[in-house]
Amino acid sequence: MASSRALFFCVINVSLLLTLSSAADPFVSYDFEVTYITASPLGVPQQVIAINDKFPGPTINVTTNNNVVVNVWDSTKEEFVAGWCSWHKLSIPPKWNWTYQFQVKDQIGSFFYFPSLHLQRAAGGFGGFIVNNRPIIPIPFDTPHGDIVVFIGDWYTRNHTDLRKDLDDGKDLGMPDGVLINGKGPYRYNDTLVPDGIDYETIDVHPGKTYRLRVHNVGVSTSLNFRIQSHNLLLAETEGSYTVQQNYTSLDIHVGQSYSFLVTMDQNASTDYYIVASARFVNESRWQRVTGVAILRYSNSKGKAHGPLPPAPDDQYDKTYSMNQARSIRWNVSASGARPNPQGSFRYGSINVTEIYVLKNKPPEKIDGKRRATLSGISFVNPSTPIRLADQYKLKGVYKLDFPSKPLTGSPRTETSVINGTYRGFMEVILQNNDTKMHTYHMSGYAFFVVGMDYGDWSENSRGTYNKWDGIARATTQVYPGAWTAILVSLDNVGVWNLRTENLDSWYLGQETYVRVVNPEATNKTELPIPDNALFCGALSKLQKPQVISSDATSISGNRLKLFFNWLIVCAWIHIFQ
């Protein structure tokens, strides 16, 4: 399979309990057709990945415990890769479609889906995923007048295949060409920086009303500061956890992160207002054009937005400003999530740690003549046979269960090395960023507690600074350059779960590993049997059953290959508050 022709979808952070779908709970169905379209978000025609001819793709909007069916048809005339969140990557031939069926059990919040292989997110293919509270579980704020999904992210006018080639040739991607907001370029706030004819995003609102804005950074590698001119951002939720509600004039949103803000339209609407997403932790004068600008328009607006943009934080000489802002984001321990009991009823701070891993990154380096990125001295190599299937069929040599608990001291190496997690253990992970740029890290299958971060090297004494009461539970956290972030994870979800940087360039170059969590007891209560229609590859390719390929390349209702995601799940995590 040519890697440049692979497309694979990952749903980030969506919680799916490992149980049979309940027929008593409603079903919600979506049909997705994946195509390439030509778009010019920054004024340069280029190929982007669209879902149902939309860029960004449609939002999946469901309620806790819904059974969700998403039928995905690949109309790109290229191989399509479907699987269970990066660790089961199997090629689906052109003209096939694939149906995901899963239950959003015990989960609420704001998430997004995206194609997760080979820098394809840099070409689009992403969309929102909203899981609403059940009516019997009140949300910890008044029902907003409207719900608005906002995607922000850095963007290159080069195709993702060209970006990939640059990385393969040992080059950096360089400075992005701009920032998109909901797939569109910047409003022409500056005639020198923004060319004429760029299509920009406009969000229409009514005066006096409060809206919920779900903001996702779906970019390649740039942290962005998000702000709305003259409006406060009341933070309410992040990645499935309700937060202590507090106002921000702006918030740094790092690659892969999602936040919900309550924004009240309390201004006089003398003009429209700027919505801004600008690059952070860079030379701001050189990166001035890497700024996304959209328009907030009141229904009674008296004119167009004009004048300078609202300023970004002035913290050039205060490296603690952004970190202190991140520390201020705390768990709302009294609010109910997907279940009636308060979030804080899970007292993570009183649980004994059973295993500790210190994961250290550094700038990319040469390994066997190739430029690679590493975690703790290891650059991950994806196996041809899926790890969990290798376990099920007792195959040897597919991977090594020897990922080091501390960084290697010798030369870096490329390996399929996996962390051996203990089922029902409680893992402490220290993410040490020895690179010169910001990184965000994501763990599939779980929410973890962000309990501490600081500059310098982590030490045993750093535990004295941990927040053991209301540290936020989420699945993606930032690690500042020259700093560390500590997370705690309750390993109650059986499977093999990806732990990776969300920076697409470093991820592509191997900065990831997996955490293998296996229930030693012989039971079907924590993991269901392999579905009859599972796809096999690598050493198990001989087990693959023949499939009938539909001759209808334009229909998305033909041959359906159903994967019941009650056994192997797209980026699933069992809710920790059950």
Side-chain angles (χ1 to χ4, degrees):
M1 179 185 69
S3 63
S4 62
R5 300 175 61 197
L7 187 63
F8 165 76
F9 274 89
C10 178
V11 179
I12 191 168
N13 303 347
V14 175
S15 168
L16 311 169
L17 190 63
L18 299 181
T19 60
L20 286 169
S21 296
S22 172
D25 293 309
F27 276 78
V28 181
S29 297
Y30 290 86
D31 285 329
F32 280 5
E33 184 174 13
V34 184
T35 58
Y36 287 125
I37 64 172
T38 299
S40 306
L42 294 177
V44 178
Q46 63 183 120
Q47 178 180 273
V48 303
I49 299 173
I51 311 294
N52 297 347
D53 291 325
K54 294 180 179 180
F55 168 64
T59 296
I60 296 175
N61 196 328
V62 298
T63 299
T64 301
N65 295 343
N66 279 176
N67 297 297
V68 184
V69 180
V70 184
N71 183 39
V72 181
W73 181 276
D74 174 25
S75 293
T76 64
K77 305 298 188 291
E78 295 180 326
E79 289 178 325
F80 186 87
V81 176
W84 299 279
C85 197
S86 300
W87 65 271
H88 192 186
K89 301 166 186 170
L90 298 172
S91 173
I92 302 174
K95 303 182 184 180
W96 284 28
N97 65 323
W98 195 263
T99 300
Y100 302 96
Q101 182 169 321
F102 52 89
Q103 186 175 24
V104 286
K105 188 73 172 175
D106 292 332
Q107 174 68 341
I108 55 94
S110 309
F111 314 101
F112 64 93
Y113 61 84
F114 64 94
S116 68
L117 291 183
H118 309 307
L119 269 75
Q120 288 159 345
R121 191 172 77 203
F126 47 78
F129 200 121
I130 296 172
V131 186
N132 301 290
N133 283 61
R134 291 175 292 161
I136 63 171
I137 308 294
I139 56 177
F141 43 83
D142 291 338
T143 302
H145 180 73
D147 204 310
I148 300 168
V149 178
V150 180
F151 296 104
I152 60 176
D154 57 356
W155 189 260
Y156 293 84
T157 56
R158 310 197 302 279
N159 286 344
H160 70 284
T161 52
D162 296 324
L163 298 177
R164 193 164 63 230
K165 184 177 185 305
D166 285 345
L167 294 176
D168 289 338
D169 291 342
K171 303 175 183 176
D172 283 321
L173 295 183
M175 184 171 63
D177 296 295
V179 169
L180 304 189
I181 298 181
N182 283 350
K184 298 178 182 179
Y187 172 80
R188 200 177 192 199
Y189 69 97
N190 182 303
D191 293 348
T192 301
L193 294 172
V194 183
D196 192 18
I198 298 292
D199 187 22
Y200 59 88
E201 176 74 348
T202 299
I203 295 176
D204 293 310
V205 295
H206 295 285
K209 302 297 184 181
T210 297
Y211 294 79
R212 182 175 183 173
L213 270 63
R214 303 176 190 259
V215 186
H216 312 274
N217 187 336
V218 294
V220 175
S221 62
T222 304
S223 297
L224 299 173
N225 180 263
F226 181 79
R227 55 199 184 272
I228 302 177
Q229 184 181 26
S230 302
H231 290 75
N232 284 323
L233 307 172
L234 182 62
L235 181 62
E237 178 260 336
T238 179
E239 299 168 16
S241 287
Y242 289 119
T243 66
V244 172
Q245 294 175 25
Q246 50 192 322
N247 278 309
Y248 297 88
T249 55
S250 70
L251 189 74
D252 291 339
I253 305 179
H254 307 279
V255 176
Q257 291 187 331
S258 301
Y259 288 96
S260 278
F261 303 105
L262 300 176
V263 183
T264 300
M265 306 306 154
D266 54 6
Q267 299 302 299
N268 61 17
S270 57
T271 65
D272 297 338
Y273 297 92
Y274 292 126
I275 301 172
V276 182
S278 60
R280 290 284 276 146
F281 317 113
V282 294
N283 184 325
E284 292 187 8
S285 60
R286 181 170 171 262
W287 281 61
Q288 200 171 2
R289 65 179 170 84
V290 188
T291 300
V293 183
I295 293 298
L296 183 74
R297 178 167 296 159
Y298 282 50
S299 58
N300 62 341
S301 176
K302 300 177 181 65
K304 292 185 177 181
H306 59 83
L309 301 178
D314 183 13
D315 61 346
Q316 181 179 357
Y317 302 105
D318 181 10
K319 67 179 184 179
T320 64
Y321 174 87
S322 180
M323 183 179 286
N324 285 335
Q325 186 186 66
R327 289 168 173 156
S328 73
I329 299 170
R330 294 178 293 122
W331 212 24
N332 187 337
V333 296
S334 63
S336 297
R339 292 190 174 190
N341 51 305
Q343 293 181 145
S345 60
F346 186 86
R347 302 185 184 278
Y348 69 90
S350 62
I351 302 175
N352 292 328
V353 170
T354 59
E355 44 212 306
I356 304 168
Y357 281 83
V358 179
L359 306 182
K360 181 182 290 188
N361 75 353
K362 58 176 67 174
E365 53 193 321
K366 289 285 186 71
I367 303 178
D368 298 329
K370 290 288 187 178
R371 189 169 182 261
R372 301 285 297 182
T374 61
L375 266 183
S376 293
I378 297 176
S379 186
F380 191 82
V381 178
N382 281 299
S384 59
T385 305
I387 293 172
R388 198 70 191 101
L389 286 180
D391 286 344
Q392 293 287 329
Y393 287 87
K394 296 180 171 54
L395 297 182
K396 304 296 183 182
V398 173
Y399 65 94
K400 295 180 179 179
L401 206 59
D402 64 350
F403 196 92
S405 60
K406 295 181 180 180
L408 297 178
T409 56
S411 299
R413 60 178 186 250
T414 56
E415 281 194 354
T416 308
S417 181
V418 173
I419 292 174
N420 186 15
T422 303
Y423 179 56
R424 293 181 177 169
F426 199 63
M427 181 181 288
E428 179 183 10
V429 180
I430 293 90
L431 301 162
Q432 180 80 49
N433 184 1
N434 281 25
D435 202 344
T436 56
K437 64 179 182 179
M438 178 75 71
H439 277 268
T440 47
Y441 288 89
H442 173 81
M443 185 173 180
S444 301
Y446 287 93
F448 49 68
F449 293 94
V450 183
V451 294
M453 59 179 68
D454 205 349
Y455 285 98
D457 289 332
W458 179 89
S459 70
E460 301 279 346
N461 293 333
S462 301
R463 292 195 179 99
T465 68
Y466 284 7
N467 178 351
K468 294 189 175 183
W469 168 241
D470 61 358
I472 192 66
R474 63 186 311 164
T476 310
T477 187
Q478 68 270 48
V479 189
Y480 292 83
W484 56 267
T485 296
I487 63 175
L488 298 176
V489 192
S490 179
L491 300 179
D492 56 1
N493 194 8
V494 172
V496 181
W497 307 109
N498 193 208
L499 177 57
R500 63 174 184 265
T501 178
E502 276 291 312
N503 301 46
L504 296 188
D505 48 356
S506 296
W507 184 7
Y508 178 76
L509 293 174
Q511 195 172 110
E512 62 176 326
T513 186
Y514 289 81
V515 180
R516 177 181 176 270
V517 182
V518 175
N519 186 349
E521 300 175 6
T523 175
N524 62 0
K525 293 181 179 180
T526 56
E527 189 174 34
L528 296 180
I530 300 173
D532 291 339
N533 56 349
L535 293 182
F536 296 89
C537 60
L540 297 172
S541 58
K542 63 183 179 182
L543 300 179
Q544 178 56 50
K545 299 176 182 178
Q547 303 286 352
V548 177
I549 300 177
S550 170
S551 60
D552 183 358
T554 61
S555 169
I556 59 174
S557 61
N559 176 46
R560 292 193 175 193
L561 305 177
K562 287 192 176 179
L563 271 184
F564 292 94
F565 271 65
N566 302 309
W567 178 67
L568 300 169
I569 295 174
V570 179
C571 281
W573 55 279
I574 290 182
H575 204 284
I576 57 178
F577 315 125
Q578 54 185 334

